[in-house]
Amino acid sequence: MNKTILLGLNELNFDYIKFYIDQGLLPNFKFLFEIQPPIETVSENEYKLLEPWVQWVTIHSGKSYEEHNVFRLGDIIDHPELSQLFEELENEGLSVGAVSPFNAENRLNNPVFFVPDPWTKTVPSGNWIVKALYQAVHQSVNDNAKSKLNFKSIFSLGLGLLLYVPLYRWSHYLKTVFNLKKPGTKALILDSLLADIHLTLWKKNKPDFSNLFLNSGAHIQHHYLFNSKAYQGDIKNPEWYCPKDFDPLIQILSEYDKQIEKLLKLKNVKLLVATGLHQQPHEHLTFYWRIKEHVKFANKIVIENFTEIFPRMSRDFLVKFKNEKEALKAEKLLNSFYSSKDDIKIFQVDNRSVSLFVELVYPNDIEDNDSIYSKESNLKLEKFKSYLAFVAIKNGEHNGIGYVTSNFDLKQEEKIELTSLKSIIKKVAFLLISSLRVFLKL
């Protein structure tokens, strides 16, 4: 085996996977678990640090949050001093490819392919079709709450389906599209496409190391975990939100199981599967909302002199300013908004000198005529809901324990620090390529 693939299945709960395995499902997960029983990874102690954009930087850098200090999605681009797994492997002479590596910057000199995650502003590498596909995925993910795709994105996704998805997989997409209104279906399509693109690029280029990161399982656990047959709690999602007899989690896990099967069939490949962390059931219903048009909304509540606004994952967005004074003024304004009906705070703001990372944290349902008001400016915004898109109801929350499994014996303890995973991956990749070099010399 002289190739290594790191498959990131973000935040998956392996106890739930074991439940489905016991039901006779997910045979390829079962195969991996029998070869390498899941190893637990241990990360941060503070709950606020149990975010995937923190944990995956830890995996890529081998450093804890205290050491790497990357707290938000997309912020890796502000830390050029951090050495990542990808360029380190390349510097050792390995060819490297990646599809949607989470919160990672493309610093490769000669990447085989590099398709960034949809939220990190870094340069994609590949032919023009791959780059167009990246832009389409970026647009579709960030506009997901508005359920809009522009023509260019539709064309690029269609072209990607035509050129990067084998004919035998088209029936899967066709069947999935017919169920588009079912919860979690769009997320399933996205990860199916990313996995098929990765596999096609891998077969064409056969990089020494590649990373495929898939996030839809995390998304579905966050929003539909209460509908899983593996969930033993008492909380139920509303019928209008997810029908009680429909389990979105087994849908995405079954797709992952099929993708694992295809990776296991590749010759000379060692496969590592990691989650970063996992999710456990949330204890009450929390609503997620997302602003539909960020610039329009910023102007409406009179945020002044901002230069750019970048939507992030789910409820979050980044606002940039020319100077600290303008950023501080906007921070005070955003922090002053409350709901008129229950006086609960609307935003949470992280001031970063000349930019603000903003979370829409209001947790309750919002009616059509509900308003918000500012204690700073006395501005009252009527029909607040008209500026928002409903995202989801929170079902899952983060737990710092993650998992690693593989198609070979990793020879590790049952529990390891997440910071050690990078060195484990490098050791596997270096041993493989070193063995190959020795063989070629002989």
Side-chain angles (χ1 to χ4, degrees):
M1 294 185 176
N2 56 22
K3 306 292 182 182
T4 307
I5 295 177
L6 171 63
L7 174 61
L9 298 181
N10 194 33
E11 302 179 18
L12 288 192
N13 187 319
F14 275 19
D15 288 338
Y16 283 19
I17 292 176
K18 290 175 183 176
F19 169 88
Y20 290 115
I21 289 174
D22 291 341
Q23 306 300 307
L25 304 172
L26 309 180
N28 297 291
F29 274 107
K30 180 181 179 181
F31 177 78
L32 290 179
F33 288 4
E34 288 175 347
I35 294 176
Q36 174 58 74
I39 299 167
E40 290 189 355
T41 59
V42 182
S43 56
E44 307 292 341
N45 294 319
E46 290 185 70
Y47 185 79
K48 70 176 184 178
L49 299 179
L50 299 181
E51 297 286 1
W53 40 86
V54 174
Q55 309 308 310
W56 282 92
V57 172
T58 293
I59 292 172
H60 299 154
S61 68
K63 299 180 182 296
S64 66
Y65 168 74
E66 186 177 3
E67 295 170 306
H68 66 62
N69 204 33
V70 178
F71 187 57
R72 299 294 186 186
L73 180 54
D75 280 4
I76 187 63
I77 63 173
D78 298 323
H79 292 267
E81 77 285 356
L82 279 178
S83 180
Q84 301 175 122
L85 173 67
F86 311 99
E87 59 264 24
E88 288 183 15
L89 291 173
E90 185 185 58
N91 290 338
E92 291 292 331
L94 277 68
S95 56
V96 177
V99 171
S100 199
F102 203 46
N103 209 3
E105 185 174 19
N106 183 2
R107 300 170 185 166
L108 297 171
N109 293 316
N110 189 29
V112 178
F113 51 86
F114 195 105
V115 183
D117 74 50
W119 307 276
T120 302
K121 289 194 68 178
T122 188
V123 180
S125 297
N127 60 35
W128 71 271
I129 302 173
V130 170
K131 292 177 181 178
L133 271 170
Y134 161 70
Q135 293 297 335
V137 170
H138 171 80
Q139 192 261 319
S140 65
V141 169
N142 285 289
D143 286 348
N144 177 58
K146 295 187 288 186
S147 299
K148 290 182 179 179
L149 278 177
N150 59 40
F151 175 78
K152 184 177 179 180
S153 294
I154 293 172
F155 176 78
S156 297
L157 290 171
L159 193 61
L161 184 69
L162 181 65
L163 298 178
Y164 287 95
V165 176
L167 283 173
Y168 75 88
R169 284 278 289 168
W170 286 20
S171 60
H172 161 73
Y173 287 92
L174 188 62
K175 179 181 177 182
T176 307
V177 167
F178 281 136
N179 294 311
L180 201 56
K181 292 185 178 181
K182 288 189 175 181
T185 300
K186 292 178 183 178
L188 190 154
I189 291 174
L190 175 61
D191 271 8
S192 296
L193 185 58
L194 290 174
D196 285 338
I197 290 170
H198 171 266
L199 188 60
T200 300
L201 290 171
W202 191 96
K203 287 182 176 179
K204 180 180 179 181
N205 300 283
K206 293 183 174 57
D208 298 318
F209 173 83
S210 73
N211 174 209
L212 169 63
F213 177 88
L214 301 175
N215 188 60
S216 292
H219 170 85
I220 287 170
Q221 286 178 149
H222 266 308
H223 304 320
Y224 306 109
L225 190 61
F226 299 151
N227 278 77
S228 170
K229 292 181 180 179
Y231 169 66
Q232 302 299 313
D234 298 324
I235 303 177
K236 304 298 180 185
N237 284 314
E239 186 72 15
W240 60 263
Y241 178 67
C242 187
K244 62 182 179 181
D245 59 348
F246 184 66
D247 181 355
L249 183 55
I250 190 56
Q251 307 297 317
I252 190 65
L253 291 180
S254 296
E255 173 62 14
Y256 287 167
D257 195 75
K258 293 174 184 175
Q259 295 295 343
I260 289 173
E261 180 183 21
K262 288 187 282 188
L263 295 176
L264 289 173
K265 289 180 178 179
L266 297 175
K267 293 182 179 180
N268 304 320
V269 169
K270 283 197 171 183
L271 173 66
L272 296 97
V273 180
T275 70
L277 62 163
H278 83 274
Q279 290 183 34
Q280 62 191 25
H282 193 50
E283 296 183 353
H284 53 272
L285 291 182
T286 300
F287 287 74
Y288 277 9
W289 302 94
R290 180 180 176 89
I291 293 170
K292 289 189 286 190
E293 298 179 63
H294 293 79
V295 173
K296 180 179 178 181
F297 180 79
N299 289 326
K300 191 69 177 179
I301 63 173
V302 199
I303 296 178
E304 299 176 327
N305 300 320
F306 61 90
T307 58
E308 292 178 288
I309 298 183
F310 301 104
R312 294 300 195 218
M313 185 179 283
S314 187
R315 308 171 293 172
D316 314 332
F317 57 98
L318 184 73
V319 192
K320 290 190 173 184
F321 298 87
K322 292 181 178 179
N323 54 59
E324 295 181 10
K325 181 180 178 181
E326 296 296 344
L328 182 61
K329 181 180 177 182
E331 178 191 11
K332 290 180 179 179
L333 177 63
L334 285 163
N335 275 327
S336 74
F337 276 98
Y338 289 78
S339 169
S340 299
K341 71 176 180 181
D342 51 26
D343 216 35
I344 293 178
K345 203 168 186 287
I346 304 299
F347 301 106
Q348 181 172 303
V349 184
D350 176 16
N351 190 320
R352 306 175 178 182
S353 180
V354 294
S355 66
L356 306 177
F357 189 94
V358 188
E359 298 175 86
L360 202 169
V361 295
Y362 184 76
N364 297 331
D365 196 6
I366 300 174
E367 303 295 333
D368 290 341
N369 292 321
D370 287 347
S371 61
I372 61 174
Y373 73 99
S374 168
K375 295 181 180 180
E376 171 79 13
S377 67
N378 294 320
L379 183 149
K380 185 175 183 180
L381 184 65
E382 302 286 354
K383 297 185 176 181
F384 179 46
K385 190 174 183 178
S386 65
Y387 298 92
L388 307 177
F390 169 72
V391 176
I393 296 174
K394 184 176 181 179
N395 282 204
E397 62 186 29
H398 294 142
N399 184 303
I401 299 296
Y403 306 100
V404 179
T405 185
S406 67
N407 64 342
F408 62 100
D409 185 356
L410 284 168
K411 301 185 185 301
Q412 298 291 322
E413 300 293 329
E414 294 180 357
K415 183 177 290 189
I416 62 174
E417 293 293 329
L418 188 65
T419 50
S420 68
L421 188 54
K422 175 188 175 184
S423 63
I424 293 171
I425 296 168
K426 288 179 65 176
K427 183 179 179 181
V428 170
F430 287 157
L431 282 176
L432 294 177
I433 198 67
S434 298
S435 298
L436 180 61
R437 286 170 179 164
V438 170
F439 175 77
L440 290 174
K441 285 180 181 179
L442 292 175

